[in-house]
Structures are given as structure tokens and as C-alpha cells.
Amino acid sequence: ENAVLEETMRRAGQMSRDPLQQLLIAISLLIEDAESAAEVNPGDPNPGCLFGLYAYELESFLPEIRDIIRESAIHWRNILREQFDRIAQEYPPRLDVNLDGLADNLMVTFEGSLILGRMIGDPQQVVVHLRNYRAFLELLFSKPVEGVDTVAA
């Protein structure tokens, strides 16, 4: 999973110099991957994530495996947190948010939508929820519109 995020962020970085646009592009690339998976294997396009599966039974695994899973989640957080730091410098968030939590939210959204999609038999859940996350980020980091009041947290 680390390689997926790193490659996606690398590709997005080649497409834009703007940190917000880079992240929005990266999420769009993940959405494209999820849509492609649905086309290639319509019966079960989202087999799930091994790390997510292992997390349910974490205590059953060797400490070394648990360390790999924890380190992977922290690696995602660190990469995304650095990106959110760059974004927040240029686009102060319109609401008070925890940037670590916001970084974790991409993994939560991705993994959670895989689980939900399997539970309800709807492989489009990954696409739906990644689009919602992307839209939330666009709103959160958008520049205020003159003459329009924003709601304070």
C-alpha cells in the first residue's frame, strides 16, 4: 500500500505544482483506479485490503506483522500530513481541523468504503466516498468568496 500512495502522489506532483491540486489529483487517480477495478472484475472489483483484513485479527499475528501494519498506517499519515501542511500554508482551512486526523481520513475513507462496499454488495462505494472526501477537501481549503458568510466551527 505504501507504494500505491507514493506512486500516486508522485504522479500528481508531476501534474501540478500547487499542493492542493496535487492532493485532489491524487485522490482522482485513486478514484480512476477504483473505477477501473470495477470494469476489469465486475463481480468483485474490490477484494479488500490485506492490511484492513489483518487489522481485524491483529492480535492473531506475529509482532513483526503488526509492526508492518502500524508502520504502513503511520507512513500514509506522514506523507499526507506533509502535504496538508503545504496546503494549509497556501490555503488556510476554513474550519478548525486536526491535520493528522485529516491525513488519516484518506485511509479511513478508502478502507472503510471497501468494507462497506462488500457488506452491502456495492462496489461503487470506494468511488462514492473518495469523491465525497475530495469534495470536502475542496470546500475546506477553498478561498472565501467575497460577500458570503462562512459558518464558524
Side-chain angles (χ1 to χ4, degrees):
E1 284 197 359
N2 289 342
V4 170
L5 180 63
E6 290 167 0
E7 176 61 14
T8 301
M9 294 300 290
R10 184 194 66 74
R11 289 177 58 204
Q14 291 178 331
M15 295 179 196
S16 177
R17 290 184 179 157
D18 180 270
L20 178 57
Q21 290 306 311
Q22 288 172 345
L23 185 57
L24 297 176
I25 290 167
I27 295 168
S28 295
L29 293 170
L30 292 172
I31 291 168
E32 283 181 7
D33 289 346
E35 290 171 332
S36 294
E39 291 173 13
V40 171
N41 189 7
D44 190 13
N46 298 315
C49 163
L50 281 179
F51 286 149
L53 177 65
Y54 290 167
Y56 283 114
E57 301 294 331
L58 201 54
E59 294 305 315
S60 301
F61 292 96
L62 295 170
E64 296 83 12
I65 301 298
R66 293 193 302 259
D67 288 346
I68 290 169
I69 294 167
R70 182 179 55 255
E71 289 168 12
S72 178
I74 291 169
H75 185 71
W76 271 57
R77 174 190 289 161
N78 291 339
I79 288 173
L80 292 166
R81 175 55 195 259
E82 289 173 10
Q83 190 71 20
F84 278 117
D85 286 340
R86 287 189 291 273
I87 292 167
Q89 285 178 350
E90 233 175 285
Y91 303 92
R94 297 180 76 180
L95 299 171
D96 185 29
V97 293
N98 177 293
L99 294 181
D100 282 337
L102 202 55
D104 290 342
N105 199 248
L106 179 57
M107 181 179 277
V108 169
T109 299
F110 187 81
E111 298 293 341
S113 61
L114 284 171
I115 293 166
L116 179 63
R118 289 190 63 106
M119 287 172 42
I120 66 174
D122 181 2
Q124 290 300 310
Q125 289 299 302
V126 174
V127 172
V128 167
H129 291 282
L130 285 175
R131 283 183 179 154
N132 285 342
Y133 181 65
R134 183 182 62 198
F136 171 71
L137 294 177
E138 287 178 295
L139 290 171
L140 181 64
F141 292 107
S142 64
K143 300 282 186 190
V145 177
E146 189 174 316
V148 176
D149 289 333
T150 59
V151 177

